[in-house]
Structures are given as structure tokens and as C-alpha cells.
């Protein structure tokens, strides 16, 4: 990918590389099509960005960027998200907007690697199951609903790069702070049931997932991301092929009309706009499966150290982590009392405890810990703390998993900035 491809629209237009920007938004601008009509994938992206349909989009001349976009972060059907990049669209949720036990669709983060498909229509959407199976299948969403048990579960999805913004030296990529995580209700069928119906051949070791989004380059057939998981993980009963998010159609930017949800592992395993799963007898090698993508060093490294490809391993389960969602950092209390609320989660494990400190980690108190709605749902915690006198405090939260692993104070640095599970700190002033 060239440096230009990585730049956002605002930047490109600002640097007056208008043609390039147009090409990215409107598609290739040929001589006949000099005006770069806004349509197709460009229109989908632009519509999502401005937060409404654009009735006169076809009149929009090349080089124009909607006025509404200047300084705006509105995305249709999303509320209060922070835009990190517009091409591809990436937006995270501020922690205090993640306070709900079940994340509303309006607050579910967006992590796109490419350009979403133009049509999110469930009618006629087909999912192919093939590769090393006894009986390759092509299933409509109606077929999925008819032939398999439909279940609803609250499932945590966290991007592998959540927390990247805090790495020093910095890591390239979207500078996620804390909000590339969500726990929505997902309705669908179990991946396990569908794979078993197709008949998993004995030599299968890995899945491969394919979605209908296209690469930023616009090259036909070039995928932006195609990841997979070991077949043992794929057979976990909590992985869903989902067609509903919080009881409604999936949000277009969260993978409508059909997506995988593989909770507990990097969000990238949860293919959006899912149209094919194939089974393989080798570790899948699709885009973002190879090289250093979604991999961390398999030995301790120093911050900034250059690590060779062979010393990286594919990330499996996400680490133990917690997030304080109330109060909002920077808040004040006039009676010294602070009601703390948040969530904790840990890859394939559950949470055993969450501890809270108001004295920079010198002493800790146990938070009340809720039970998960189901395995792979985050667990809520709450605590009431009294600040002894007026002044500046930090509230820290530290989760411990059922396997006895706790969150660290500092980031275990890695070159690509993955898996930052250091403790969440918020500032509170007693006034
Ligand atoms: N087809 C497709 N699926 C995808 C992606 C993508 O770019 N294309 N991004 C992945 C990544 S990296 C993450 S973290 C999750 C994010 O899901 P969300 O955008 O619904 O929050 O989707 C995953 N599934
Ligand atoms: Mo991700």
C-alpha cells in the first residue's frame, strides 16, 4: 500500500491532491467521466460519512467534498463516535459512551480495512461453505434461519489494535485509544453447526473467511482482509454467523447483512459482509494473515526493537482487560463519593475479580463483579469509593481472569501495537 492510500480524505483534499482524492472516493476518473459522479462504493462511504442520503449526488463535481464533512464525525446510525480515518472508515467509541451492559448499535465501533460492499441487502445474499468439506453448500440467509438453530448471545468484540495510541515508540496504523471494543447482542446460527453440516474433512486445520468488501486499491477481486482460525476455535459453540445486531438488521458498517462473530479473539477474526468460509489443511494465508499482521513477537522484546518476521506468532485469544465507563474521565465530585462502573473481559476466559485503586496502585479494593450474560460477554463491575480529601485523584481498574492473569501496569511493547491491556486510569477531582 502506498503512503497515499493510507491518508484520509481530509488530508488529501487539503494537500490539493484532488484528483487522487476523487479517485479514491468516486472511483477511477476517466476523461469521459471527468466529473467523478458520486456513486457505487464511493457513494456508500460518503452517505455514511455525511449521515444522510445525497439525492443530488450525481451532480457533485470532482474535487467537491461535502461542506458537512469539515470537522464533522457524523456517521449514519452512529452516535458520538470519534472518527480516526475516513478511508477506510474507522471510528471508536469514547469510554463513557460504552457504559451500557449491552452496547447499542449506535455506539459499536467501526473498523474497516477496505471499502464496504455497495449492497447490504439480505435478499439474495449467499454464503458459500467449501474447501475441505464433504458437501460444499451455498446458503441464503433464509436457509441459515430454516436449517439451523437461531441463537442470541452478547459477545465481546475487541480490535487487536485497541490501545495502540499509547505505544511508545509509536506503532503505525489506526491510533485507537480505548474504544475499539463493544459487546452487542448478536443473533445468528452457530458456525459450528454450519461447518458440521458441510462435513469437516479429517485433514482440516484452519478456516478461511471471505467478505464482500474490496481492497482500497479498487482492484477487482482483491480482498482487504481474509483471516481464519484454527478449527478447534472455529468449533467453539459461541461463534456465530450473525444476521442481527441488537435485534435489528446489522449496521452496514458492522457487516450487514451477514457477519462472523468470533468472540475472545482479535476482532479481525470476525469477518464482516461474510460471503464465504472455506476449510483448509494449512494455516490460512489470506490478506492480513501473513507477515506481521495480527502477530506479536514470540519472545520478550525491548520497546523499539526490530523483530524479524520469523519471531512473530499469530495472535490467538485477546488478553484480560477492563474499562471504566463511568464516571467520564476528568469529572468532579462535590461530596467525595464516586460511583464507578465498567466492564471486564478476557479472551476465552471469564473474569474472576476487578480491583480498584484511588492511590496510584498502593492499595486496592474489590469491585462488585457481575456475571456474564453468557460466555464471551463482558462482565460489569461497579464500586463506590470515597475520596478522603479535596484534590486530584486517579481511579485505576485492574481485572484478573479465572486463570489468575491480571492486567499489567505498563504496555508490553510490540512492533505493531497490538494487545495493549494495561490498566485503565481515569482522572477525578474532589472539589
Ligand atoms: N470483511 C471484513 N471484515 C472485517 C474487517 C474488514 O476490514 N473487512 N475488519 C475486521 C477488524 S480488524 C475488526 S476489529 C472487526 C471490527 O468489527 P466492527 O467494525 O463491526 O466493530 O471487524 C473485522 N472484520
Ligand atoms: Mo481489528
Amino acid at each position: 500500500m502506498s503512503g497515499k492510500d493510507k491518508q484520509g480524505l481530509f488530508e488529501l483534499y487539503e494537500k490539493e491532491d484532488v484528483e487522487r482524492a476523487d479517485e479514491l472516493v468516486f472511483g477511477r476518473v476517466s476523461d469521459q467521466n471527468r466529473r467523478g459522479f458520486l456513486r457505487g462504493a464511493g457513494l456508500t462511504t460518503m452517505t455514511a460519512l455525511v449521515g444522510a442520503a445525497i439525492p443530488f449526488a450525481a451532480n457533485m463535481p470532482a474535487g467537491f467534498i461535502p461542506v458537512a464533512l469539515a470537522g464533522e464525525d457524523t456517521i449514519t446510525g452512529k452516535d458520538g463516535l470519534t472518527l480516526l480515518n475516513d478511508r477506510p472508515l474507522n471510528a471508536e467509541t469514547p469510554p463513557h459512551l460504552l457504559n451500557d451492559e449491552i452496547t447499542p448499535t449506535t455506539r459499536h465501533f467501526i473498523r474497516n480495512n477496505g471499502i464496504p460492499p455497495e449492497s447490504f441487502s439480505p435478499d439474495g445474499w449467499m454464503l458459500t461453505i467449501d474447501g475441505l468439506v464433504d458437501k460444499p453448500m451455498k446458503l441464503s440467509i433464509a436457509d441459515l434461519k430454516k436449517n439451523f438453530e437461531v441463537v442470541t448471545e452478547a459477545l465481546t468484540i475487541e480490535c487487536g489494535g485497541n490501545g495502540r495510541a499509547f505505544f511508545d515508540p509509536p506503532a503505525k496504523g489506526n491510533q485507537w485509544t480505548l474504544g475499539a471494543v463493544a459487546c452487542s447482542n448478536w443473533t445468528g446460527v452457530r458456525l459450528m453447526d454450519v461447518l458440521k453440516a458441510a462435513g469437516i474433512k479429517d485433514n482440516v486445520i484452519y478456516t478461511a473467511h471471505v467478505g464482500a468488501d474490496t481492497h482500497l486499491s479498487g482492484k477487482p477481486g482483491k480482498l482487504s482482509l481474509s483471516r481464519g482460525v484454527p478449527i478447534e476455535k472455529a468449533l467453539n459453540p459461541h461463534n456465530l454467523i450473525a444476521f442481527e445486531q441488537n435485534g435489528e438488521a446489522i449496521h452496514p458498517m458492522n457487516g450487514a447483512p451477514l457477519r462472523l462473530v468470533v468472540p475472545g479473539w482479535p476482532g479481525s477474526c470476525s469477518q464482516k459482509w461474510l460471503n464465504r468460509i472455506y476449510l483448509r489443511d494449512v494455516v490460512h494465508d489470506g490478506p492480513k494473515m501473513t507477515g506481521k499482521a495480527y502477530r506479536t513477537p514470540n519472545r520478550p522484546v525491548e520497546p523499539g526493537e526490530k523483530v524479524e518476521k520469523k519471531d512473530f506468532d499469530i495472535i490467538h485469544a485477546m488478553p484480560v482487560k477492563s474499562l471504566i465507563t463511568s464516571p467520564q474521565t476528568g469529572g468532579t465530585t462535590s461530596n467525595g463519593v464516586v460511583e464507578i462502573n465498567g466492564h471486564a473481559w478476557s479472551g476465552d476466559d471469564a473474569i474472576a475479580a476487578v480491583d480498584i485503586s484511588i492511590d496510584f496502585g498502593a492499595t486496592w479494593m474489590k469491585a462488585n463483579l457481575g456475571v456474564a450474560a453468557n460466555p464471551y460477554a463482558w462482565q460489569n463491575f461497579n464500586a463506590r469509593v470515597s475520596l478522603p480529601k479535596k484534590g486530584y485523584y486517579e481511579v485505576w481498574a485492574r481485572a484478573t481472569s479465572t486463570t489468575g492473569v491480571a492486567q499489567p501496569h505498563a504496555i508490553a511493547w510490540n512492533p505493531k501495537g497490538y494487545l495493549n491491556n494495561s490498566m485503565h486510569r481515569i482522572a477525578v477531582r474532589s472539589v
Side-chain angles (χ1 to χ4, degrees):
M1 203 169 17
S2 77
K4 285 251 169 71
D5 285 336
K6 282 191 181 153
Q7 289 180 338
L9 266 184
F10 305 112
E11 248 177 299
L12 273 178
Y13 277 105
E14 259 165 36
K15 289 185 186 148
E16 289 175 21
D17 195 349
V18 171
E19 274 189 22
R20 177 74 182 140
D22 277 354
E23 195 181 308
L24 294 176
V25 192
F26 304 98
R28 198 157 290 279
V29 183
S30 65
D31 283 343
Q32 303 97 300
N33 182 20
R34 195 55 206 93
R35 298 181 64 225
F37 301 118
L38 189 63
R39 66 182 168 212
L43 178 56
T44 307
T45 307
M46 197 57 99
T47 303
L49 285 169
V50 300
I54 310 173
F56 294 116
N59 297 342
M60 203 177 252
F64 262 63
I65 189 160
V67 176
L69 274 187
E72 280 289 327
D73 63 354
T74 335
I75 303 167
T76 308
K78 296 288 175 185
D79 172 27
L81 269 56
T82 309
L83 194 62
L84 298 185
N85 191 359
D86 57 328
R87 198 196 131 72
L89 189 57
N90 282 280
E92 69 172 340
T93 315
H96 68 280
L97 295 184
L98 287 171
N99 196 41
D100 299 272
E101 180 164 357
I102 300 295
T103 310
T105 302
T106 50
R107 291 175 175 178
H108 196 292
F109 74 101
I110 301 169
R111 197 291 181 245
N112 292 348
N113 286 268
I115 305 301
E118 290 165 34
S119 165
F120 311 112
S121 166
D123 307 325
W125 193 271
M126 295 302 279
L127 172 65
T128 300
I129 310 286
D130 63 354
L132 299 173
V133 295
D134 297 329
K135 200 173 59 156
M137 304 192 294
K138 269 197 196 312
L139 300 156
S140 67
I141 294 176
D143 293 334
L144 289 172
K145 290 180 182 170
K146 194 173 68 197
N147 299 333
F148 302 96
E149 187 187 347
V150 173
V151 292
T152 298
E153 294 194 7
L155 300 169
T156 310
I157 300 179
E158 184 181 15
C159 180
N162 196 22
R164 178 179 290 137
F166 306 111
F167 277 71
D168 185 21
K172 282 198 201 115
N174 284 293
Q175 295 300 303
W176 304 105
T177 64
L178 298 151
V181 63
C183 181
S184 289
N185 271 324
W186 294 97
T187 301
V189 300
R190 294 187 188 92
L191 172 63
M192 170 185 92
D193 292 346
V194 175
L195 295 182
K196 283 188 177 161
I200 304 163
K201 289 202 183 294
D202 287 344
N203 53 345
V204 167
I205 65 161
Y206 235 85
T207 61
H209 316 150
V210 182
D213 49 336
T214 50
H215 192 263
L216 289 178
S217 63
K219 285 205 182 90
K222 191 168 181 196
L223 299 173
S224 70
L225 171 136
S226 169
R227 305 202 71 238
V229 293
I231 191 68
E232 297 76 26
K233 172 66 179 173
L235 293 176
N236 184 295
H238 299 285
N239 301 324
L240 299 185
I241 299 175
F243 37 75
E244 275 180 25
Q245 180 179 17
N246 296 317
E248 291 175 346
I250 297 175
H251 188 280
M253 294 299 136
N254 296 126
L258 195 67
R259 77 170 298 171
L260 260 183
V261 182
V262 177
W265 285 37
S268 52
C269 300
S270 295
Q271 195 83 28
K272 301 193 280 187
W273 311 291
L274 181 73
N275 58 15
R276 184 183 176 206
I277 299 171
Y278 57 106
L279 300 187
R280 307 194 60 178
D281 61 359
V282 291
V283 173
H284 183 45
D285 55 358
K288 305 269 164 97
M289 252 337 272
T290 58
K292 298 179 183 178
Y294 300 105
R295 293 178 188 226
T296 46
N298 52 24
R299 57 174 177 81
V301 299
E302 264 175 66
E305 187 179 331
K306 199 149 166 37
V307 184
E308 284 181 62
K309 265 193 198 160
K310 65 170 180 48
D311 291 337
F312 281 81
D313 282 346
I314 296 171
I315 298 168
H316 284 174
M318 293 293 288
V320 58
K321 195 160 169 181
S322 61
L323 186 71
I324 301 168
T325 53
S326 182
Q328 184 175 355
T329 191
T332 58
T333 169
S334 50
N335 61 0
V337 175
V338 187
E339 305 278 358
I340 296 154
N341 197 47
H343 316 291
W345 63 95
S346 181
D348 290 318
D349 306 313
I351 297 297
V354 174
D355 295 278
I356 303 284
S357 178
I358 56 164
D359 55 11
F360 302 99
T363 62
W364 294 87
M365 66 174 276
K366 287 251 170 302
N368 301 311
L369 181 64
V371 288
N374 49 255
Y376 293 98
W378 62 21
Q379 283 164 256
N380 299 301
F381 66 85
N382 61 73
R384 186 189 171 93
V385 298
S386 293
L387 307 179
K389 53 176 97 153
K390 292 195 192 316
Y392 172 87
Y393 295 83
E394 287 191 7
V395 178
W396 294 8
R398 182 185 64 194
T400 305
S401 76
T402 45
T403 51
V405 181
Q407 288 182 258
H409 283 263
I411 304 166
W413 188 91
N414 64 81
K416 298 277 286 176
Y418 295 124
L419 308 184
N420 180 1
N421 69 331
S422 53
M423 289 184 268
H424 185 206
R425 302 154 50 186
I426 62 159
V428 186
R429 237 172 284 267
S430 181
V431 293

